Amino acid sequence: MILPPPWRGRQGVVVLVRGGALGVIALGAVYLYAALGSEHSQPFSRVMLGLVTNLAFVPVLVLANRCLVRPAGTSFRESFGLVPVAGGIRSLPFVLLALLGVGQLGEGVMDFAGRWLGLSSHWAEWFDPDLAWGPRIDVGATILDTVVLTPVFEEIVFRGILFATLRRRFGTGLAAGLSAAIFAIAHGYGVLGFAAVFWSGLLWAFAYERTGSLLPSIAAHAADNLMAALGVILVLRG
């Protein structure tokens, strides 16, 4: 993977806008169907909605493969950094450890600054009732969603397509900042939550730039989500 990508910035934006619109429409239909369901199916529907939410990214990926990858004559894996660069696989574990360490350090600084400024994150931003009180099948489905599906889909879309497309027009620094900001806004958190997600998105974009692979950011994203999920499970389920 060589950045900037082989497609033009305008082409990337068109794919993101059209694919995002189709994803929102599909997701809206699923939520409407779930809202009209019976009350007895609500816990199951809540878990399924978490899994189905990732399917909102599918139209973007399909359009990207058709409009960006094929015209460039590359494979999907190569175009979106899903393979390590030549000779770089040995460095991937070190990159992952660096991402996790710097990420935790940054979040620690933000937490300290937030306390000093009188800011705090609302518990609902990270709390998942299915992890705390749901049956084991719901817990397993939620972990599958947050630790496997979400990191893969979000890294391909936000780093592989969005950051790479912005990188084509603005260069590394501004593209990383803009893509990280959009990534953080999409999560809908408060000030500290936004800052934490923005910091992660920034680190993962620079990791993609330096390694040419999304594998470190996918792994770091999965590790962060796993730690958050295990925190809920260990504290509330014992």
Side-chain angles (χ1 to χ4, degrees), residues 127-146:
F127 181 73
D128 191 318
D130 295 305
L131 289 176
W133 302 302
R136 291 183 179 180
I137 187 172
D138 287 359
V139 173
T142 301
I143 291 178
L144 172 65
D145 171 43
T146 58

Side-chain angles (χ1 to χ4, degrees), residues 96 100 104 126 131 139-140 142-151 204 218-235:
L96 171 60
L100 294 175
Q104 291 299 312
W126 54 267
L131 289 176
V139 173
T142 301
I143 291 178
L144 172 65
D145 171 43
T146 58
V147 179
V148 179
L149 299 180
T150 295
W204 297 339
I218 290 175
H221 197 155
D224 280 352
N225 288 2
L226 178 61
M227 287 187 288
L230 289 179
V232 174
I233 293 174
L234 293 177
V235 171

Side-chain angles (χ1 to χ4, degrees), residues 2-176:
I2 300 177
L3 294 173
W7 59 82
R8 295 181 179 180
R10 183 176 180 180
Q11 293 174 311
V13 171
V14 170
V15 165
L16 286 167
V17 172
R18 290 180 178 176
L22 290 173
V24 169
I25 293 173
L27 196 59
V30 172
Y31 272 84
L32 179 61
Y33 174 80
L36 296 176
S38 65
E39 295 182 359
H40 300 289
S41 66
Q42 287 307 306
F44 178 74
S45 296
R46 188 170 55 242
V47 174
M48 290 304 298
L49 283 175
L51 293 170
V52 171
T53 297
N54 286 298
L55 296 181
F57 293 118
V58 171
V60 177
L61 300 183
V62 171
L63 288 177
N65 186 55
R66 178 181 301 175
C67 303
L68 305 180
V69 175
R70 290 181 182 176
T74 61
S75 70
F76 190 91
R77 295 175 64 208
E78 291 174 340
S79 294
F80 299 119
L82 298 178
V83 292
V85 296
I89 192 167
R90 294 181 180 180
S91 66
L92 293 184
F94 299 100
V95 176
L96 171 60
L97 291 176
L99 287 176
L100 294 175
V102 176
Q104 291 299 312
L105 178 62
E107 290 185 15
V109 171
M110 292 175 206
D111 183 65
F112 177 81
R115 293 175 184 273
W116 185 67
L117 294 172
L119 300 174
S120 61
S121 299
H122 194 278
W123 63 270
E125 290 183 356
W126 54 267
F127 181 73
D128 191 318
D130 295 305
L131 289 176
W133 302 302
R136 291 183 179 180
I137 187 172
D138 287 359
V139 173
T142 301
I143 291 178
L144 172 65
D145 171 43
T146 58
V147 179
V148 179
L149 299 180
T150 295
V152 172
F153 280 108
E154 289 190 351
E155 290 309 303
I156 294 176
V157 171
F158 286 101
R159 252 61 64 185
I161 303 178
L162 178 60
F163 165 67
T165 296
L166 294 173
R167 170 72 173 78
R168 181 83 179 182
R169 175 67 176 83
F170 299 110
T172 304
L174 185 54

